[in-house]
Amino acid sequence: MGFDPSRVDWALRATSHRGLQPAMDHLLEHEGEPISDASAPAGNSLPSGSAAQSTSAMDVDGDDDDAEALRHLIGKKGAVSAAATAGDVEAKSIKCSVCGKTFKNTALANYHAEKSGHDQFEESTEEIKPLTEEEKKAKLEELRKKLAAKRAAKDQEEAKANEVIRRKQGKDLNKIKEEIKAKEMIKEAEQKRKEKAEDAKAKAAIKAQIEADKKARAEKAAREKALREGKPIVDSQSGTSNSTPSPAAAASSSSGVAGKDFKDTRLQIRLASGGTPYTTTLPSDSTLHDVAEFVAAQTLSVSVETVSFTQQFPRKTFSRTDFNKTLRELGLTPSAVLIAS
C-alpha cells in the first residue's frame, strides 16, 4: 500500500499482530515519527515467524471475522488437523474431508456444507490459485451448459407431464362422448318401441271400433227389419226375444222412440287407450253417471270425475250435463257402444 516495510513491521509489533485495521491505525497515527523498537510492549513480540504466519493465515479471507467464523465452522462440523491447530503450518484454504474439495474462504465452505450436507472440514495448506481469463470463460461456459441442460430436462419433464394430462383428458372426453351416444341410442330405441306399441294399440282400437260399428249396424238393421216385418226382436248378445210390437209401436220405432220399450240396456264400453272392452247390462233408467262408476270400478286409469263418453254411430259426444240423464233419455237403449277417455 506504499508504506515502508520497516514501518509495517514496527506497526505489526506495536499492535501485537492483532490484524490489518490496528496496524493501519498505528501507521497513520505515527506517520513521520522515527521507528523505535522500544515502543513494542514487552512480551508481545513474537519469537519466531510461525506465530506471525499463523496470524496472517487468519487474514486469508480479509479480516478477523472470517477467521473466527472459520474456527467456529471447524469446531462445529469437523476435526481440525493437529498441525493447523498448533499453528506451525500456514492455512491457505478449507478442505472438505468428505469429498476432498477445497474452498478459498468460509463463505464458500458454508455454502458447500448447506448444499451437500457434508460436515467434516479442516484447514489446508493448499493454495487456491486464481483462475485465468481462459479458465474463467471455460468455467462460465460449463456453468451455462449445465444450466441449459437442466432447463431442457425440466422442460422435457413438463412436456411429458402435459402430454400425459392431455391424453388423459382426451380419453375422458372420448369416454364421456361414447357414454352420451350410448344413452342417446338407448333413448331412441326406447322411443321407437314406445311408438310402435302405441301404434299397435291404436290399430287394435281402430279395428275393434270398426268391428263394433259393424256389429252395431247389423243389430240395428236386424231390429228395424224385425219391426217392419212384425217379428219378435232377438237380441244377439243375450238371445232373448221380445214380443211383437204393435203397428203403432213399429211406427214409433221407426221414428226413433222404440228404445222406450226396453227395460234393460246392454253396453259395450271401450277405452280410447285400447285394451279389452267392458260389457255390461244396466237398467234403461240408469244414468250415464252409473256407467262412469262401472268403468272406474274396472280400471284405475279412469276417474268418475274426469271420464268422458263418445258414441261413434251415430257420432255424438256426451257432456257433463248428460251424466244425470238416463240411458233411455240419451237414446242408448236397447244397446250401444261407448268409447271412454
Side-chain angles (χ1 to χ4, degrees), residues 164-180:
V164 171
I165 294 174
R166 187 188 64 79
R167 290 182 179 180
K168 184 177 180 181
Q169 290 177 347
K171 291 180 179 179
D172 294 341
L173 183 60
N174 291 334
K175 185 177 180 180
I176 293 174
K177 289 181 178 179
E178 290 177 358
E179 291 178 354
I180 293 175

Side-chain angles (χ1 to χ4, degrees), residues 313-325:
F313 185 81
R315 182 70 179 179
K316 182 179 181 182
T317 299
F318 299 97
S319 62
R320 298 301 299 183
T321 57
D322 294 332
F323 275 54
N324 295 325
K325 296 180 180 180

Side-chain angles (χ1 to χ4, degrees), residues 173-331:
L173 183 60
N174 291 334
K175 185 177 180 180
I176 293 174
K177 289 181 178 179
E178 290 177 358
E179 291 178 354
I180 293 175
K181 186 176 180 181
K183 290 181 180 179
E184 290 178 352
M185 292 177 64
I186 294 173
K187 185 177 180 180
E188 184 178 356
E190 184 67 23
Q191 183 66 24
K192 288 182 178 180
R193 285 195 295 269
K194 185 177 180 180
E195 292 176 356
K196 187 176 181 180
E198 290 177 353
D199 291 342
K201 288 182 180 179
K203 290 179 180 180
I206 293 172
K207 185 177 181 180
Q209 185 62 42
I210 292 173
E211 294 295 331
D213 292 344
K214 289 181 179 180
K215 190 174 182 181
R217 288 195 296 270
E219 290 178 354
K220 184 177 180 181
R223 288 197 301 271
E224 292 177 353
K225 182 178 180 181
L227 289 173
R228 288 194 301 271
E229 296 177 354
K231 295 180 180 179
I233 300 174
V234 180
D235 191 346
S236 60
Q237 298 291 336
S238 58
T240 58
S241 61
N242 296 313
S243 59
T244 303
S246 61
S252 63
S253 159
S254 60
S255 61
V257 296
K260 295 181 179 179
D261 298 333
F262 296 96
K263 296 181 179 180
D264 296 329
T265 301
R266 182 174 180 80
L267 296 176
Q268 186 180 64
I269 299 101
R270 298 182 179 276
L271 299 180
S273 59
T276 304
Y278 302 105
T279 303
T280 184
T281 301
L282 297 175
S284 298
D285 294 332
S286 300
T287 62
L288 194 61
H289 188 273
D290 296 333
V291 179
E293 290 182 348
F294 166 76
V295 178
Q298 306 302 316
T299 176
L300 296 177
S301 62
V302 174
S303 173
V304 177
E305 303 299 329
T306 59
V307 67
S308 62
F309 294 101
T310 303
Q311 187 178 18
Q312 292 292 336
F313 185 81
R315 182 70 179 179
K316 182 179 181 182
T317 299
F318 299 97
S319 62
R320 298 301 299 183
T321 57
D322 294 332
F323 275 54
N324 295 325
K325 296 180 180 180
T326 64
L327 302 178
R328 181 179 287 107
E329 292 174 346
L330 296 174

Side-chain angles (χ1 to χ4, degrees), residues 2-15 17 23 27 35:
F3 293 100
D4 186 79
S6 59
R7 283 189 174 276
V8 174
D9 292 337
W10 175 38
L12 290 174
R13 289 196 306 271
T15 57
H17 294 273
L27 286 171
I35 299 173

Side-chain angles (χ1 to χ4, degrees), residues 87-108:
D88 57 351
V89 179
E90 182 180 2
K92 296 183 178 181
S93 61
I94 303 172
K95 183 178 182 180
C96 178
S97 301
V98 179
C99 63
K101 292 183 178 180
T102 56
F103 306 95
K104 184 178 180 179
N105 52 44
T106 55
L108 295 176

